C-alpha cells in the first residue's frame, strides 16, 4: 500500500501522552515533479488524508507538467484519489481555462484556496476560483493560512457568495 503514518503516529502519541485534547492527522502536499512521479510509480509510502485515500499535489505555477495526466492515472491505479491543489493559482490555467477542464476530466479532484475568493493572490486567481465553483468543479476548500494576518482574509472569504455556493455544491469536506 502507498499509505504511510510513521511521523504522524509519533506526533499523535506525544499529543496523547501530554493530555492535549486535539485530534491530529498528518498529511502532505506533494510537489509534482520527477521525484514524486517516481514515488507514485514505485508505490513508495505517501502521506494521504481523509481515511488515507486522498493525495494532495501541486505543480509548478508557470507550466503544466508534461506527465501530469500520467501521474494522475498512476495515483488512481493505486486506489487513491488525486487532489489538485489550488488550480486557480496556476498561470497555465489562468491563460487557458480549457487546461483546467482537461485536468478535471481525468477524475482529479480540485481543492481551491479560500483566500483566493477575496483576491489574496490577485484578481486572476479569484476569477478562476469563482469560475470553478460556478462550474461545480471544486471538491475541497483549503485555508492555506501561514500567517495570522491571513486569518482575517479567511474570515472574509467564508462570507463571500462564492464560498457559500461552494458549500452548497459537491464539496467533500471543508478544511477551513
Amino acid at each position: 500500500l502507498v499509505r504511510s503514518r510513521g511521523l504522524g503516529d509519533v506526533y499523535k502519541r506525544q499529543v496523547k501522552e501530554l493530555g492535549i485534547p486535539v485530534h491530529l492527522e498528518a498529511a502532505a502536499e506533494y510537489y509534482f515533479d520527477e521525484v514524486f512521479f517516481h514515488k507514485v510509480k514505485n508505490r513508495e509510502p505517501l502521506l494521504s488524508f481523509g481515511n488515507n485515500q486522498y493525495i494532495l499535489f501541486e505543480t509548478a505555477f508557470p507550466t503544466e507538467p508534461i506527465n501530469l495526466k500520467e501521474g494522475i492515472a498512476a495515483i488512481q491505479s493505486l486506489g487513491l484519489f488525486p487532489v489538485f491543489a489550488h488550480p486557480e493559482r496556476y498561470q497555465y490555467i489562468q491563460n487557458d481555462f480549457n487546461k483546467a477542464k482537461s485536468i478535471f476530466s481525468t477524475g482529479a479532484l480540485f481543492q481551491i484556496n479560500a483566500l483566493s475568493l477575496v483576491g489574496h493572490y490577485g484578481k486572476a486567481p479569484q476569477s478562476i476560483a469563482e469560475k470553478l465553483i460556478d462550474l461545480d468543479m471544486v471538491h475541497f476548500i483549503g485555508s492555506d493560512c501561514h500567517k495570522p494576518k491571513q486569518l482575517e482574509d479567511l474570515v472574509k472569504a467564508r462570507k463571500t457568495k462564492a464560498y457559500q455556493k461552494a458549500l452548497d455544491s459537491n464539496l467533500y469536506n471543508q478544511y477551513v
Side-chain angles (χ1 to χ4, degrees), residues 140-159:
F140 299 93
I141 299 177
S143 66
D144 198 37
C145 282
H146 298 278
K147 303 172 189 169
K149 166 74 174 99
Q150 292 172 322
L151 290 173
E152 295 172 21
D153 283 343
L154 183 59
V155 170
K156 291 177 190 172
R158 294 182 68 177
K159 295 177 182 175

Side-chain angles (χ1 to χ4, degrees):
L1 291 177
V2 185
R3 299 159 184 118
S4 174
R5 292 256 181 206
L7 190 56
D9 287 338
V10 171
Y11 289 130
K12 285 181 187 181
R13 188 174 59 253
Q14 289 175 339
V15 165
K16 186 176 181 179
E17 288 171 2
L18 292 171
I20 300 171
V22 65
H23 178 76
L24 183 64
E25 291 291 331
E29 178 181 31
Y30 290 96
Y31 184 75
F32 191 96
D33 60 8
E34 289 304 317
V35 173
F36 174 69
F37 190 65
H38 177 81
K39 285 178 182 257
V40 171
K41 285 181 72 173
N42 290 297
R43 303 170 100 58
E44 292 181 23
L46 298 170
L47 287 173
S48 58
F49 71 95
N51 296 321
N52 298 322
Q53 54 187 338
Y54 300 106
I55 299 294
L56 183 65
F57 70 93
E58 66 179 346
T59 71
F61 283 93
T63 58
E64 178 181 349
I66 295 170
N67 57 353
L68 178 59
K69 291 179 182 169
E70 185 182 353
I72 290 169
I75 293 168
Q76 292 166 328
S77 75
L78 299 170
L80 301 170
F81 297 95
V83 180
F84 189 40
H86 45 73
E88 75 278 11
R89 294 182 59 198
Y90 299 112
Q91 292 169 354
Y92 59 91
I93 289 177
Q94 293 169 12
N95 294 334
D96 182 0
F97 191 77
N98 286 326
K99 289 187 182 284
K101 291 179 178 178
S102 178
I103 295 165
F104 189 81
S105 73
T106 67
L109 305 175
F110 280 13
Q111 174 260 310
I112 64 166
N113 288 347
L115 296 176
S116 293
L117 298 175
V118 292
H120 184 82
Y121 308 104
K123 292 292 182 193
Q126 181 178 5
S127 176
I128 296 293
E130 290 170 350
K131 187 172 186 174
L132 290 168
I133 289 169
D134 286 343
L135 295 173
D136 206 21
M137 294 172 66
V138 175
H139 302 91
F140 299 93
I141 299 177
S143 66
D144 198 37
C145 282
H146 298 278
K147 303 172 189 169
K149 166 74 174 99
Q150 292 172 322
L151 290 173
E152 295 172 21
D153 283 343
L154 183 59
V155 170
K156 291 177 190 172
R158 294 182 68 177
K159 295 177 182 175
T160 65
K161 289 180 183 178
Y163 184 89
Q164 294 306 312
K165 183 174 184 176
L167 291 181
D168 293 337
S169 67
N170 69 351
L171 288 180
Y172 285 36
N173 290 298
Q174 297 83 38
Y175 291 95
V176 291

